Amino acid sequence: MDKFLLQQQVLQRLAEDLLQAEEAVREAHETATHEENIAENKYDTLGLEAAYLATGQARRAAAIRQALAHWRQFRPLPYDAGKGIQLGALVCLVDAGDKQQQLFLGPDGGSMQLLSGAQIVQVISTDAPLGKALLGKCEGDEVSIQVAPKRLQFEVLRVL
């Protein structure tokens, strides 16, 4: 798997998300400021609700812009067994049921799934519980995280 190609997929997806978020901001702002939505009494709140929505969408767009900036500056390094898993690592985990999963540790904007050939690669940040647990681990190490009432355990199979 090529980390550079995965990074390009992330950048493309974030750019698409930003376009959608900016369009949502425009629509909500137009609804909030449209003359037909001026409140006529205290129960007429459509304009106010649209203004709140526009504010939330603007925050979302700003967060996506920040993630884009982080991913543009990001340069994943090759795996160094002396340092263990670091930001930019491509990790293959296996769980107790022998189910494998591929993870790409990125700087921001996690919880995105990408395709590399026929394999699904989950992008996670080092702020995620599993991302934090992986930092410093090496091939063959065990990793466990608490998710609600369950403790999930994985073994690190491969790291690139």
Side-chain angles (χ1 to χ4, degrees):
M1 277 187 232
D2 187 338
K3 293 180 189 182
F4 177 76
L5 292 177
L6 291 173
Q7 181 179 11
Q8 295 309 307
Q9 284 185 48
V10 170
L11 287 168
Q12 180 179 352
R13 184 88 57 86
L14 287 171
E16 291 167 2
D17 290 351
L18 181 58
L19 286 175
Q20 288 177 350
E22 288 174 338
E23 179 59 29
V25 169
R26 276 191 292 283
E27 288 178 15
H29 180 50
E30 287 173 11
T31 301
T33 58
H34 194 276
E35 65 185 41
E36 290 181 4
N37 295 331
I38 295 173
E40 295 175 4
N41 60 52
K42 67 180 182 179
Y43 302 108
D44 193 0
T45 61
L46 180 62
L48 181 61
E49 291 168 5
Y52 286 137
L53 180 60
T55 300
Q57 293 292 4
R59 285 186 186 131
R60 180 173 174 262
I64 295 170
R65 274 189 215 93
Q66 182 179 14
L68 261 169
H70 290 159
W71 277 94
R72 284 184 182 129
Q73 295 172 359
F74 178 53
R75 300 291 177 261
L77 299 173
Y79 173 63
D80 179 351
K83 292 182 179 178
I85 295 172
Q86 300 295 313
L87 186 65
L90 189 55
V91 181
C92 179
L93 297 179
V94 63
D95 65 15
D98 285 333
K99 182 179 176 195
Q100 292 186 17
Q101 59 179 313
Q102 306 292 326
L103 303 173
F104 186 36
L105 267 64
D108 206 345
S111 69
M112 180 185 303
Q113 288 189 342
L114 308 173
L115 279 177
S116 179
Q119 287 193 321
I120 295 173
V121 179
Q122 179 73 44
V123 179
I124 64 171
S125 77
T126 53
D127 292 332
L130 184 54
K132 284 180 187 174
L134 286 170
L135 290 176
K137 301 291 185 187
C138 297
E139 291 180 356
D141 285 352
E142 298 265 328
V143 177
S144 67
I145 58 170
Q146 188 74 33
V147 178
K150 292 173 41 175
R151 179 159 286 296
L152 302 177
Q153 291 194 284
F154 304 94
E155 180 184 345
V156 179
L157 284 184
R158 287 183 307 281
V159 184
L160 299 175

